[in-house]
Amino acid sequence: MSERKRRQTAESHPDSMDHHLIQITSLHRQLRFVKDSELKKQMHLAGQSRGAGAGSYQHKYMVFAAAKEAVKRVTGLELHELQMTAGWWMSEGKIIQMASNEERLLASVLACAWRALPGRGVHMMSTDNQCSWRDYNVLYPVYTMLGLTVGCNLAGASAEEKQQAYLTDITFGDFREFAADYLLDHLTMNAGERMQTFNACAVIDNVEQVLVHHLMTPITLSEQSGAAEQMVAGAHAEISVHHYMQQYGSIAGMTDRIGGEAALLQRAYGLDTVMLPASDLRKRSVTEEVIGYRREKASFKLSGTDGGPASGSAESLRTAGLKCLVKRDSGAAEVSNRGVARPKTAEEHRMLIWQPDGTRWEEEWLYVTEMERIVHTHRQLVYERRDQMWEKANIKHILNTHVSATITEMDTIYLEKMRNWLLTIGQGMLEDDHLLLQGNAFDVQELQQVWSDIWQCLLKRPTMSRHLLSWSHKYIQLLDKYWARYMEGAKELRRQAGIGENGRETMVQAYHDACSELFLRIKADWRTEFTNWFLSEALPAFTAVLPEQPLCGSGAT
């Protein structure tokens, strides 16, 4: 098709890819001779227009044109139409297939630059730390020219370094490291130590390896990590790659081949696949040579097996003006023991291993997903409770709800014990005519009212806020303790359910029922232990230093 006829066709179809490419090329011609600062200005204006909802595609055309020019100025390579098409589809949340890894890397710049504009950030995921660091150094000058900030989330970095990396517009890193940081945020005792400001978009290099091969691979955290010094020893968190990816509002990616996994990507993640034809061999070879050279210059010698740069290499990179988020001695020990769990039994290996037959793999995924669904639901409930405890305003509400729920669930003997505890706490706080001080027996509803009166009195004390934080730490410690017990129990139930091959529906239902029963039992034990400590130790110690004059009358709410 001639260029003239192509333009005529594109003008009559404003939503066609040809139309988009022509508009981008036209704007790019206007940017070829502007200063670098003008590229940043155009990106800033496009970001403001997008935030205000102005225009349809015009601001997106400008971002792509500016990114194309930045790539040319930094690498000397001209993005061809196939790469711009790939970048466009990725910006729309698609998985694209391209033969050349180097071409895909440059195409990702277009998608990341567009997705980073709203200020919500992009996670650029690779399969290991070395690839992340290498690509970060190749693309860092491009994004800087566009006025975007870039960080690299490497294993072994401190919490402060990781926080800086997550606050940038585009964060490079190993997909395991992103998932491990997500878990670590749920195990930290201090909201200020939380690292991941959860972003809206993930762009994944080598989609087949990350989203298919590691579909049900568990990412685990256990014991004490250097990034969370107050984390309770024995605390345990686990999430599969499939479940972690559900935290993102948008996922895009690239790979060299999709094969029969397109249906699985659609079913598991709701992702559509776009297969692009091979580009011109000459263009591809030039791109591969240039990017290969830049990657080699940006590479580093590994220090141990964690994928981080040696301290000398990091220092030299800083001297050269490049940001390096990790500095550690070559003989330094591992900071944490987190990582991808390996299957221990033949059954687990059968469930997690990559199956060459796409149909069989999809059946295995559906089975394993159904088996783990209820554990994932319980995990979200526990993480939600942790998130709520990070908000100081919610602590008093959660503690009150926790004790009230315990009152509802306990038997008569326990209620009498609780009445004695409340009597000890309420002495000197309640007026003489309060029903608690009359010596009468209580039913559940009356005891809840008594607890409500005492709690409202306690909340009026000026020193209450400091004690609330201390009590919340105890609460989370017990939450971690019993959650670890549940996870170990669920693993054993999973092993027992996976022994047989026949009657899968029955096995799955039995596993679900057993997990639900286990979770309810663990939850009751956790509530009981906390309430016992709270009413028998924490509150009596707190009220012992209070003035003796009564604070509340009968029936106060």
Side-chain angles (χ1 to χ4, degrees), residues 52 65 75 122 172 399 409 416 473 509 534:
T75 67
V122 175
F172 287 77
L399 297 183
E409 296 172 357
E416 181 61 27
H473 283 190
Q509 187 59 47
F534 194 50

Side-chain angles (χ1 to χ4, degrees), residues 129 133 136 152-158 161-162 164 177 303 306-315 317-318 323-329 335:
N129 282 285
W133 178 259
Y136 161 76
C152 193
N153 177 35
L154 292 175
S158 66
E161 291 169 331
K162 282 179 171 289
Q164 293 175 9
E177 196 67 19
S303 172
D306 65 341
S311 58
S313 175
E315 194 62 37
L317 288 170
R318 286 195 182 94
K323 288 186 177 180
C324 177
L325 295 177
V326 176
K327 179 183 178 183
R328 51 181 301 188
D329 296 328
V335 175

Side-chain angles (χ1 to χ4, degrees), residues 443-460:
D443 58 21
V444 171
Q445 186 175 1
E446 291 173 333
L447 200 60
Q448 284 183 323
Q449 180 61 51
V450 169
W451 162 248
S452 177
D453 293 344
I454 292 177
W455 185 240
Q456 293 300 320
C457 292
L458 292 172
L459 290 179
K460 296 179 180 179

